[in-house]
Amino acid sequence: MRRYLEGSHAVAEIVRLCKAQVISAYPITPQTHIVESLAQMVADGELNAEFINVESEHSAASVVQGASATGVRTYTATTSQGLLYMIEVLYSIAGLRLPVVLTCANRAVSSPINIWNDHQDSVTVRDAGWLQFYAENNQEACDLHLMAYRLAEDHNIMLPVMVCMDGYILTHAYEVVDLPEQSQVDKFLPDFKPIHCLNPDEPVSMGVLMGPESYIETRYAIHQTMMDALNVIPGIADEFEQVFGRKVHCLIEKYRLEDATQVFVAMGSMVGTVKEIVDGLREDGQKVGLLKVIAHRPFPKRIVYEALKNAREIAVLEKAISLGEEGPLLSDVKSAFCGQGNQPKISGFVLGLGGRDITKKSILEVHDALSGSQVDVKFIDLKI
Amino acid sequence: MVTELFSSGHTACAGCGQALGARLVVETTGPNVIIANATGCLEVFTSRYPESAWGVPWIHSLFQNAAAVASGVEAALRIKGKLDQVRVISQGGDGATADIGMASLSGMFDRGHDILYVCYDNEAYMNTGVQRSGLTPFGSRTTTSPSGKKSFGNPRPKKNIPEIANAHNVPYVATASVAFPKDLQKKVKRALSIRGPKYIQIFVPCPLGWRHDPGLTYEIAKLVVETGLYPILEYQDGKLISVKTIEAAKPVDEYLKLQGRYAHLFTERGKDEIAKIQTIADSNIKKYGLLKEGKEAQKKMAAEKLAEEKIFTTAELSKCDGKDGRPAYFAYKGKVYDTAGSDRWADGAHYNTHFAGSDLTDALVEAPHGDEVFERFKIVGVLKA
Amino acid sequence: MIIPVTSKPRTSKANKTGTWRSGKKPHFIQKECIACRLCVMVCPEGCISGDKRCTYIADYKYCKGCGNCAAVCPVADIEMVKEEWWRETIS
Ligand SMILES: Cc1ncc(C[n+]2csc(CCOP(=O)(O)OP(=O)(O)O)c2C)c(N)n1
Ligand code: SF4
Ligand code: SF4
Ligand code: SF4
């Protein structure tokens, strides 16, 4: 059913359709509209769930951890300081292989305090053992949440999933989204069947102490699972298409990449702006294209390489930076070329931090810089 | 019975009070519980992979979130409709409870989850090597509150967590000591019979951290109560309903001298500090009525509780008219009160207008005072019309 | 890839902590015992069993020799005795 909805509300509708049973969250702008919508659905009896108001994000994550370990489907959402406050628990959830789904309404991190969008929050926690997907628009945000539950609870995966959607730019934007029917969702997403759960009939001890003799294997298993997920995802995406009649990209999306020699690489909502620039430059006869990265973790390195291998100049556009180094996505893209015969110019551009507008001019500035020498970190639209 | 809910083979130090406390708790709850445990000694010595001492479902996540994880477990059981069959316990050390986990515990209380939180109070961060916590007692030395030329160890008294729990309107709050296992088990049982959040704080000696002989665990856990340093209390809906009374309070040095953590006080310089610790014990004794008066107060509490169950018929009440040595009782709004001890009542009459043996509910409407005056009278039963 | 990160219940029993005792073990005299069960209650290892009078005994595979059972026995029917544990069988 096509509806004109705010991004936050649309995501809440998907969580309702996925029948999350325990929801816990702590308010932080710009995540609030999502959890407020869910609280209302529970209050109105439209969603049969426990909505747990907590005293911090640390506890929000801990509540969904406990609930997931008890065998029910869970949901939480946060951003920025809230996500950073959760970090410990994020690692613990992944370590216990609990299929929690979290929406990150991406926002800059303090200090200075800033409530507008960039990707520094979720990029900072990319090593926590969560699958991480970045949405370009609200339809994609909805579809990625459906995929998130399905993947998280797949017995070959059993890992938490974070769906990242740009704060305000998506969470507060009204767009037409195609919401699925309950019957479709039920078909795509069977009931959650835990592998282990807290149950007096079959007691287990979870979260045990592991020494040097067994710890590293748990990390290996998570990493291996992430790698396996790269192979599992396309099959589930096919199923998604069969059930919902719509394609879902989960790893990358190629945009006018055939014969492109200059390629932009980007994540999240700025992809929309970049697409327009690509169209314009193409009209001028320039061979430019775009690679949209959706899965930041697991990073589909081989697929990225295959998509980019014919490019001569690559511009990685990022709303985050590893201060003192370069943009994390830039490092990932560079590593995809490591040891390969062809070595294109791969430059990194940092832009849009703290909600600074990414205009067409910004992207054109990146394009202009592309023909120069390779740069690791070039800030765009800087007023210094 | 050798319990199979908390198995031997765990790796606590010999004589560990916390191992003892945890075993007593889970033996009392029985198998239909789920436990969320905070990081700390208890977690470490019971769950070294691939082994576990637990015979009940058990989860450990982090140091400060056991109450929140338990909240999630409880919410999941609730939505599954299983909260009637399975009880939820959250537990941790004093550091996990009173310091780093205080916010998550407060959240659990505030939300009214049906969870029993158990704090094993060994009065320091033991798992990391005996550092000071918010429940480390005054004058005790730890590795981060050492004694020295300018220090007598920890300069602060213990935080009062039971009172903090009471301030959250938690329906059941109690303290216990492993030296009184039956009392402890009774409290766990009572707690589990009540819905909503519950808090029990158990005194658990730590031979390693307190530097005492492992064989003194029981003795120390007893002495701390007998000196008045660790009042054993029970609150229901914020009201003190029982205290463990002591015959004659023992001087605190009998307790202190058994433990290396207080050894620095047994010097010329330390005398004053021991006197201060004695003051803490004395003020507990006074505040909670741990001595004889306490016993009387307790008797009164018990009598009132019993009395509430004694049912008077109107005929029976009328016989309690204060005449010929009979007791002088009256009824008000269904409760029967004893006039004994009131100077406003004489020979079964109140200003010769109201008489014992009757129901004064309607009469009060005309009275120059409200029903607050009845607080002065002892309740002896209820009136059945 | 899923590998176990949980422990099975009661598996700590594999860990024979009796080897920790350092020179003392409780001897259950079994003469004066009044079956009060206090020793059972206060053993941190939960390794004392018995039901009727004078049947109480520790499982030395796990007993760490802390001595609390002896301390609590109201009729002094348990005493801590010297042992040369390496000569005894802890099976
Ligand atoms: C966030 C965090 N900070 C510090 C620690 C280190 N730590 C682990 S256990 C512990 C002490 C536990 O003390 P307490 O709660 O009193 O339990 P005990 O070990 O004394 O039984 C500390 C400080 C940790 N695990 N996590
Ligand atoms: S250090 Fe203390 S609390 Fe920890 S296991 Fe040893 S005796 Fe028990
Ligand atoms: S000595 Fe300690 S461990 Fe051994 S049986 Fe007695 S109380 Fe238990
Ligand atoms: S404590 Fe002593 S009297 Fe009581 S059961 Fe044990 S051995 Fe018997």
Side-chain angles (χ1 to χ4, degrees):
Chain A
M1 200 200 342
R2 291 171 71 78
R3 286 177 63 188
Y4 184 63
L5 288 176
E6 192 197 53
S8 297
H9 195 173
V11 166
E13 287 291 346
I14 296 295
V15 173
R16 178 180 65 76
L17 288 164
C18 289
K19 299 179 182 163
Q21 292 163 287
V22 172
I23 300 167
S24 184
Y26 188 81
I28 179 166
T29 305
Q31 150 264 34
T32 43
H33 290 190
I34 305 174
V35 294
E36 287 164 4
S37 302
L38 286 165
Q40 191 65 53
M41 290 170 186
V42 174
D44 290 340
E46 290 168 9
L47 171 58
N48 181 25
E50 289 285 323
F51 186 97
I52 310 293
N53 277 303
V54 279
E55 75 296 336
S56 73
E57 285 85 357
H58 199 285
S59 285
S62 304
V63 164
V64 291
Q65 178 178 32
S68 186
T70 314
V72 302
R73 189 170 285 157
T74 59
Y75 176 76
T76 185
T78 187
T79 173
S80 182
Q81 308 314 121
L83 190 70
L84 299 193
Y85 202 19
M86 277 185 184
I87 289 186
E88 265 198 297
V89 195
L90 297 180
Y91 276 81
S92 177
I93 288 171
L96 294 189
R97 309 300 296 260
L98 297 171
V100 170
V101 170
L102 178 153
T103 309
C104 176
N106 288 98
R107 160 181 154 181
V109 295
S110 293
S111 282
I113 188 167
N114 173 300
I115 59 167
W116 293 274
N117 166 250
D118 70 32
H119 290 166
Q120 193 67 53
D121 50 1
S122 54
V123 160
T124 298
V125 301
R126 68 185 185 277
D127 301 336
W130 288 56
L131 281 70
Q132 245 189 26
F133 302 119
Y134 288 76
E136 176 191 343
N137 52 45
N138 288 342
Q139 184 66 59
E140 195 166 70
C142 289
D143 296 351
L144 287 173
H145 279 89
L146 289 161
M147 284 294 286
Y149 277 110
R150 178 63 199 273
L151 291 169
E153 295 172 6
D154 188 300
H155 278 198
N156 292 311
I157 299 184
M158 292 303 283
L159 281 175
V161 182
M162 187 180 302
V163 181
C164 304
M165 62 190 293
D166 287 333
Y168 287 119
I169 302 171
L170 297 184
T171 55
H172 288 52
Y174 276 78
E175 288 174 11
V176 173
V177 289
D178 191 357
L179 288 183
E181 298 299 325
Q182 186 65 64
S183 58
Q184 290 174 297
V185 176
D186 291 347
K187 193 167 167 207
F188 179 67
L189 182 65
D191 286 346
F192 169 38
K193 288 199 186 61
I195 294 178
H196 292 295
C197 88
L198 297 169
N199 171 9
D201 297 336
E202 257 176 273
V204 288
S205 299
M206 287 188 186
V208 294
L209 169 72
M210 283 202 183
E213 71 290 347
S214 38
Y215 180 88
I216 192 173
E217 283 74 16
T218 70
R219 300 286 119 180
Y220 170 76
I222 294 177
H223 177 69
Q224 201 52 49
T225 303
M226 287 266 187
M227 296 299 105
D228 296 346
L230 291 174
N231 302 322
V232 174
I233 289 170
I236 295 183
D238 285 348
E239 256 188 71
F240 182 100
E241 190 176 351
Q242 278 165 26
V243 175
F244 300 107
R246 181 171 62 242
K247 215 171 177 52
V248 62
H249 295 285
C250 238
L251 300 174
I252 60 159
E253 186 188 337
K254 298 183 211 172
Y255 188 74
R256 306 190 79 166
L257 272 189
E258 62 303 335
D259 80 346
T261 55
Q262 291 187 314
V263 180
F264 296 104
V265 179
M267 301 196 295
S269 65
M270 76 167 130
V271 163
T273 316
V274 179
K275 278 179 179 169
E276 286 181 42
I277 294 295
V278 167
D279 291 345
L281 292 169
R282 280 274 177 183
E283 265 174 42
D284 295 348
Q286 305 210 41
K287 292 185 173 173
V288 288
L290 161 75
L291 176 73
K292 173 167 99 178
V293 174
I294 301 166
H296 188 35
R297 287 293 177 273
F299 187 66
K301 191 179 278 189
R302 199 183 46 76
I303 297 169
V304 167
Y305 172 75
E306 286 299 323
L308 293 176
K309 67 180 180 199
N310 296 323
R312 267 183 270 126
E313 286 160 352
I314 297 171
V316 180
L317 285 70
E318 279 184 88
K319 288 183 178 177
I321 179 167
S322 171
L323 294 168
E325 226 293 272
E326 59 187 18
L329 183 59
L330 174 65
S331 304
D332 290 349
V333 172
K334 279 181 181 173
S335 87
F337 280 90
C338 200
Q340 302 289 355
N342 57 330
Q343 290 293 331
K345 210 159 52 173
I346 308 177
S347 290
F349 300 88
V350 174
L351 71 177
L353 302 191
R356 177 73 54 87
D357 251 359
I358 298 177
T359 62
K360 289 183 189 159
K361 207 177 124 269
S362 322
I363 311 293
L364 285 173
E365 195 184 327
V366 169
H367 185 246
D368 288 347
L370 255 190
S371 40
S373 51
Q374 172 166 317
V375 288
D376 284 342
V377 181
K378 183 169 165 55
F379 279 74
I380 299 297
D381 295 326
L382 212 54
K383 292 187 208 160
I384 289 179
Chain B
M1 175 196 66
V2 178
T3 178
E4 290 301 324
L5 300 180
F6 184 87
S7 296
S8 311
H10 62 74
T11 56
C13 310
C16 174
Q18 187 164 203
L20 168 54
R23 181 173 70 71
L24 290 169
V25 167
V26 73
E27 269 184 12
T28 314
T29 64
N32 290 323
V33 288
I34 296 175
I35 296 181
N37 210 126
T39 309
C41 270
L42 177 59
E43 164 260 328
V44 169
F45 70 64
T46 56
S47 79
R48 174 98 190 223
Y49 183 81
E51 292 166 9
S52 169
W54 299 97
V56 296
W58 178 92
I59 182 171
H60 158 252
S61 164
L62 298 164
F63 190 15
Q64 67 275 54
N65 69 351
V69 171
S71 302
V73 171
E74 187 249 29
L77 291 174
R78 191 182 294 273
I79 196 86
K80 285 196 202 176
K82 285 200 179 158
L83 206 49
D84 280 344
Q85 301 127 56
V86 186
R87 311 312 306 274
V88 184
I89 306 255
S90 180
Q91 60 185 20
D94 48 290
T97 305
D99 293 341
I100 197 165
M102 193 76 238
S104 79
L105 179 60
S106 169
M108 179 206 111
F109 286 160
D110 171 40
R111 292 185 297 269
H113 288 285
D114 189 10
I115 298 171
L116 166 60
Y117 190 99
V118 182
C119 168
Y120 298 97
D121 184 8
N122 56 22
E123 307 197 315
Y125 297 130
M126 295 315 177
N127 189 45
T128 35
V130 201
Q131 292 86 14
R132 181 204 180 267
S133 85
L135 292 192
T136 299
F138 175 84
S140 157
R141 74 179 179 209
T142 69
T143 52
T144 53
S145 62
S147 61
K149 266 196 203 135
K150 297 183 172 179
S151 161
F152 284 107
N154 181 37
R156 301 284 307 154
K158 288 167 80 79
K159 289 191 201 177
N160 193 334
I161 309 297
E163 291 288 12
I164 292 174
N166 277 331
H168 286 76
N169 294 323
V170 168
Y172 185 80
V173 174
T175 56
S177 162
V178 286
F180 303 98
K182 284 186 183 143
D183 173 73
L184 165 58
Q185 296 196 308
K186 191 186 78 199
K187 284 170 175 168
V188 171
K189 260 196 206 127
R190 182 166 299 168
L192 289 183
S193 74
I194 294 168
R195 291 285 164 175
K198 283 83 61 173
Y199 178 78
I200 299 183
Q201 181 173 309
I202 309 172
F203 183 84
V204 291
C206 165
L208 186 91
W210 298 3
R211 290 190 267 164
H212 65 74
D213 185 289
L216 289 178
T217 296
Y218 169 75
E219 186 61 20
I220 287 171
K222 196 151 77 83
L223 276 172
V224 80
V225 177
E226 292 171 345
T227 51
L229 277 173
Y230 211 89
I232 302 301
L233 313 167
E234 199 179 19
Y235 298 89
Q236 207 162 336
D237 298 318
K239 267 210 222 119
L240 191 61
I241 56 163
S242 86
V243 298
K244 186 161 205 66
T245 50
I246 36 193
E247 290 302 325
K250 297 202 166 132
V252 294
D253 49 358
E254 274 190 35
Y255 163 75
L256 303 176
K257 72 179 181 213
L258 300 178
Q259 308 169 53
R261 62 174 173 158
Y262 293 113
H264 59 290
L265 301 181
F266 289 88
T267 58
E268 204 38 48
R269 252 169 23 101
K271 268 191 185 146
D272 289 352
E273 304 307 305
I274 294 182
K276 286 180 199 162
I277 296 175
Q278 186 62 56
T279 317
I280 295 175
D282 293 346
S283 85
N284 282 340
I285 289 170
K286 213 168 142 207
K287 180 170 176 193
Y288 298 108
L290 301 180
L291 282 182
K292 206 161 164 274
E293 311 93 83
K295 221 171 199 168
E296 256 156 34
Q298 237 193 334
K299 261 192 207 146
K300 197 178 157 214
M301 275 188 270
E304 280 185 12
K305 233 182 148 215
L306 241 180
E308 279 197 35
E309 278 135 43
K310 175 158 168 56
I311 298 164
F312 286 81
T313 60
T314 321
E316 276 168 337
L317 178 65
S318 67
K319 280 185 208 140
C320 303
D321 55 4
K323 305 218 171 88
D324 307 327
R326 290 190 290 270
Y329 296 165
F330 67 88
Y332 175 71
K333 283 199 178 160
K335 281 195 177 136
V336 179
Y337 295 85
D338 187 350
T339 65
S342 168
D343 51 10
R344 314 270 154 102
W345 284 78
D347 299 328
H350 177 51
Y351 297 128
N352 257 339
T353 12
H354 302 298
F355 301 93
S358 56
D359 187 346
L360 300 180
T361 310
D362 297 335
L364 189 83
V365 183
E366 320 248 293
H369 55 73
D371 60 5
E372 71 282 346
V373 297
F374 295 142
E375 278 171 22
R376 286 189 229 129
F377 300 103
K378 208 171 113 192
I379 298 171
V380 289
V382 290
L383 179 67
K384 202 155 172 220
Chain C
M1 181 183 191
I2 310 285
I3 62 162
V5 286
T6 55
S7 290
K8 297 213 171 73
R10 299 178 273 273
T11 39
S12 64
K13 290 231 138 190
N15 197 17
K16 305 290 189 289
T17 51
T19 55
W20 293 22
R21 285 198 304 279
S22 51
K24 277 189 304 177
K25 71 171 188 181
H27 171 55
F28 287 72
I29 304 164
Q30 302 193 337
K31 275 204 180 120
E32 309 291 329
C33 173
I34 53 170
C36 68
R37 301 189 63 77
L38 274 176
C39 53
V40 179
M41 288 245 196
V42 303
C43 173
E45 311 311 314
C47 70
I48 302 177
S49 59
D51 43 28
K52 288 189 281 300
R53 292 177 52 192
C54 301
T55 61
Y56 289 82
I57 185 77
D59 185 340
Y60 295 108
K61 289 198 294 295
Y62 301 105
C63 165
K64 291 174 186 163
C66 71
N68 281 290
C69 49
V72 78
C73 179
V75 289
D77 205 34
I78 308 172
E79 64 177 341
M80 295 307 286
V81 296
K82 258 193 162 171
E83 72 165 337
E84 291 172 77
W85 66 264
W86 57 91
R87 294 218 185 115
E88 315 222 346
T89 41
I90 315 162
S91 56

